[in-house]
């Protein structure tokens, strides 16, 4: 491939942007007193309302034992509920509460408002294409079983 046609690797292009996006999220998370992992849990539970701790951990890419303090904190704040699975008392079922959904929605709104800084450089058509492409690319990663 001629050097003029080369482009940076995807990771080289995305990593600086992802670092900036995460840094922009931190004040929003702090404002709502939710950790990054706590927000990830709330997002996952809002997508699939009742999950086991193991399924939740897998879906957010976390170790199931290491998210226990996050779950404890979210439960103490009334954002999630944990119940024993009637079919297997050793398994804990998780569900987001209405309060948890409200916090998740507020955080998500604040984060997405901040993302306008980057998305504003795109036309409406480019934005739709970009967001659809990101969703499609994320599904490829999910389907491949690649650890992130």
């Amino acid at each position: 491939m001629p050097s003029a046609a080369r482009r940076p690797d995807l990771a080289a292009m995305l990593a600086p942007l992802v670092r900036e996006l995460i840094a922009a999220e931190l004040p929003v998370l702090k404002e709502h007193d939710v950790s990054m992992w706590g927000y990830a849990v709330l997002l996952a539970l809002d997508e699939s309302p009742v999950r086991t701790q193991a399924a939740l951990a897998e879906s957010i890419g976390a170790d199931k034992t290491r998210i226990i303090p996050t779950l404890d904190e979210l439960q103490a704040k009334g954002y999630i509920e944990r119940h024993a699975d009637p079919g297997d008392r050793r398994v804990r079922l998780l569900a987001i509460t209405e309060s948890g959904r409200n916090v998740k929605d507020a955080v998500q709104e604040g984060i997405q408002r901040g993302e306008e800084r980057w998305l504003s450089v795109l036309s409406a058509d480019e934005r739709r294409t970009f967001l659809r492409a990101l969703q499609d690319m994320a599904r490829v990663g999910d389907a491949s079983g690649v650890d992130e």
Side-chain angles (χ1 to χ4, degrees), residues 68-91:
I68 291 173
T70 299
L71 299 177
D72 291 342
E73 182 178 333
L74 292 172
Q75 185 175 13
K77 291 178 178 180
Y79 298 161
I80 66 168
E81 295 175 338
R82 286 191 274 193
H83 303 285
D85 183 340
D88 183 348
R89 306 279 304 157
R90 297 167 298 172
V91 174

Side-chain angles (χ1 to χ4, degrees), residues 84-142:
D85 183 340
D88 183 348
R89 306 279 304 157
R90 297 167 298 172
V91 174
R92 308 302 286 169
L93 297 177
L94 306 171
I96 190 169
T97 64
E98 191 60 35
S99 178
R101 187 170 288 107
N102 290 340
V103 168
K104 188 272 314 173
D105 289 347
V107 171
Q108 192 169 35
E109 182 180 313
I111 287 171
Q112 290 182 3
R113 192 172 34 252
E115 290 170 348
E116 285 302 313
R117 171 180 170 203
W118 291 276
L119 291 172
S120 69
V121 302
L122 303 174
S123 70
D125 286 341
E126 290 170 330
R127 182 185 292 219
R128 277 189 296 279
T129 300
F130 175 71
L131 294 173
R132 186 173 47 251
L134 284 178
Q135 291 169 338
D136 291 346
M137 292 171 76
R139 279 193 291 277
V140 169
D142 289 346

Side-chain angles (χ1 to χ4, degrees), residues 43-66:
L43 281 171
L45 289 178
D46 196 37
E47 280 181 19
S48 178
V50 178
R51 292 187 179 203
T52 65
Q53 285 184 200
L56 171 73
E58 184 179 332
S59 75
I60 65 172
D63 179 273
K64 66 182 178 183
T65 59
R66 296 191 71 195

